[in-house]
Amino acid sequence: MKKFFLFALALIIMGLSAQAQQKKVPMDPDVIVGKLDNGLTYYIRKNAQPENRAEFYLIVNAGATLENPDQNGLAHFCEHMAFNGTEHFEKHDIINYLQSIGMKFGPEINAFTSHDVTAYMLQKVPTDVPENIDTSLLVLYDWAGGVSYEEEEIDNERGVIHEEWRSRRSPDFRMSTRYNKVLYKDSKYATHDVIGDIDIIDNFEYETLRSFYNDWYRPDLQAIVAVGDFDPQLIEKKIKELFSQRPAVESPRPRTYSEVPGHEETLIAVETDPEATNTMVQVYYKHDPAKDKGMDYYRESLKQQLYNSMVNARLGELLQQESNPFIYGVSVYTSLVRTKDAYILFALAKNNQVLPTLETMITENQKVKRFGFTEGELERAKSDVLAQIEKQYNDRNKRKSAEYIWEYLNNFLENEPVPGVEFDYEFTQEELPGISLDEMNQLAKNWITDENRVVIITGPEKEGVEIPTSEEVMAAINKADNTEVEAYVDKFVDRPLVEEVPDAGSIVSSSVDEELGTTSWTFENGVQVVLKPTDFRDDEILMSAYSLGGTSLYPNDELISAQFASDIADQSGLGAFDRIALDKALSGKMVRLYNYIRGNEEGMSGSTTPKDLEALLQLVYLNFTDPRIDDQAFKAFMSRIKASLQNRSSNPMTTLMDSAQVIGANYHPRVKPLTAERLEEANADDMRYIFEERFGDPSGFTFYFVGNINPEEAKPLISTYIGGLPKVKRNESYKDHGIRPPEGVVEKTFKRPMETPKATVYIEFNDEFDYDNAYDRMLLSSVIDVLDIRYTETIREEEGGTYGVRCSVRQSKFPYEHYTVTIYFDCDPENADNLKDIVYREIEKLKKEGPAAKDLKGVKENLLKTYRESLKENRSWLKKLEKMDKYGTPAEEYKNYEQMVEKLNAKDIKKAAKRFFGKDHIELILLPESTENSKKNPMLDKQG
């Protein structure tokens, strides 16, 4: 009997174990997951999108919450030091090497630190050269345990981080630092804000920094993630050989997690800042995260998606009402920090509408809690989730390598399941239909609780803006909690998008470009269509369309109406459907369409799947034939925009940006900063006729379709909804109003009150050039790329003067051929003149000496690398095809691009620097002042 009992008990235990295993979410079979003897974890996946590229990440399960009190900010400092010398790379050799193979510091060579994790990333590493893979892994190996921490480099980096601290000290950051003490009360999340204590940053002992690195940068807290176009078995072999050399740490410090204690009462934080431009209302209902992340957890995540979708659809409907008290609102259940989840309500309130906004957000959630959702809402949300997962499934073999990284990061850090798209698709198909309305309605009861609730109010400290007290906030909460509410009424327009399908138009001319792989049609109504089938994504079709004209065709007193006409049309809906009804009608369809009216053109941008192509084309047809600009939509939208502009002058940067805009146009009357007062110039009647005029004549439009589209299969639909547009014939183009930059040198300095003293230096060069000269355009871009490298080395690294210098160039053909180069950065006010001089000094050096060989090589490699990646991107081809027509860019320019890059040389760049950086330029400097003065924007009048 005893043996039988033990045997039966064993069977029961085995059965329970088997059930537990069945509930576990499986790991994606296409990813290799392993752990070395020293504790390091690795994730490896072969993925050929993009071709000959790979992503290499080092994930460290350590962040700001592990800092000792005297290390506040040093987790982030450790991240910076990884780029300043390691065991195998001196000083900045890591950046120099990676730039030499075509990668860019910032976009592709970077890192980040948060409360609980530090991550280092090498993105789009070229893998067609084996040495690049070996060196990338060696870089990760050094970051994981071989950073040098030379004292000179530590001291140099203090300045960089001090300037990052200065740049990040925005009003929202200052207020969040204060209200986090309430949100994360009695936890380290309340006191360690990643960027840290500036006194510690400036003065810590060297060994204090090394101590953090030695304690927490160890194999058992690290993971290597490698995804890309390579042999995964070879990568695994290399990782094992290299990373096994680091021994496990004996008697390591325990990796603890900072708990966020619960509280029965509602906690309230009210914070203001003189530079704040928005009034925000946030409500948090904190919850413990799931411990067991098996099948039940995975099913629960589907319910969270559905809930978030349905509540946000309701909040979106409120935005269509002029009387609505907030500008924007959203609701979401999400992970708050490692040890706490939260159901969050967030809204941007209109001025003096904090309490009505708070009451509205809580009341809308109380409606769900008391009455639940409707069957119609749930079915639409399910159809949206199914459409999204179907698209992911159809594109499963064309996912970019970068899309996998965060899945593996979250699996390593928080044991989030990574079963793969195939499993997700089958699981969603099987489980979603069985999720009942009762289940969904129960979520509100679980999430919306009286305990562990935190309400945060932030806003401008400004005359005329009323921010409630904590007592008033609590009274509003109690009022909303106990207000009698009515159930939501789900209104739905049950009719087809296009009730009378037009007769198909005839194609009057057709051509095929075998080399570009395009098919072109011209319809009898004058519309031109260009199609380029690709296999880059299996479930993606991108569309764009344009016609010349834009806002340039309207007088100054109609300019605001012209600029916002497409926005109001979008908010109004189409045909028989207002915006709310249109969104409901499109549920379950992967369709996006955006209209625009810009300075010199109007057009559309859209995306869809092969299955939903007809829906996209129907939206296009309705935009031309039956657009809407409703008075209610006009009033609601303009009310929100006006509210969003009312406090913009509180931010000192507004002075600089408005000044750059106005001075750069030499005070032309058509170029003025957008203000709440200027919005009064707009009216709905003007918008109606402007929109209908801009989109009333299809004959000037060219449409482009790129993606998984078969021209012959798509021809009937395109002929119907585009070829079938009414025939109108106008010969129209844009109007040049003579907006030009000033001649000579313009130098202005502005002083504004600032909470955190900061200088911003802005320099702009403008001039005319031959846009049609492709080599000149490449030379200009290359000059900027070289300067970007030089400013990183000098102003950031050598001087420690700024977190980063932003260099950019804009090249335009319309309304006249010209370029605009901008260079700007933030810094210590005492250092502004010195760093500004370096900007000009590097330009003069480039004019006299040309680029250094290493810089030129890096620029050329990046041009080639970026170009080759673009050849497999639908969006890049969409832009190329449009440019060919709009700007008359010959196809040969793209076909001969690599030869043009090879032609680039130091002599030509030196000459280009002389041509493109003449004496004429604009120099603006924003400085803090110690005394208050008028906050009137000085650039609204010419005197400055």
Side-chain angles (χ1 to χ4, degrees), residues 843-854:
I843 291 173
E844 290 305 312
K845 184 177 179 181
L846 190 59
K847 289 180 180 179
K848 293 176 183 177
E849 302 175 11
K854 72 174 183 66

Side-chain angles (χ1 to χ4, degrees), residues 283-285 287 307 311 331-333 342-345 365 447-448:
V283 183
Y284 294 80
Y285 300 90
H287 299 280
Y307 188 102
V311 170
S331 171
V332 63
Y333 189 97
Y343 176 53
I344 306 170
L345 314 179
N365 277 269
W447 292 354
I448 302 172

Side-chain angles (χ1 to χ4, degrees), residues 147 322 414 419 612:
V147 177
E322 182 185 6
E414 301 187 62
D612 293 326

Side-chain angles (χ1 to χ4, degrees), residues 160-174:
V160 175
I161 295 181
H162 195 126
E163 294 312 314
E164 182 178 358
W165 173 89
R166 190 190 311 276
S167 294
R168 285 194 183 185
R169 238 59 191 174
S170 67
D172 288 340
F173 185 89
R174 287 191 292 267

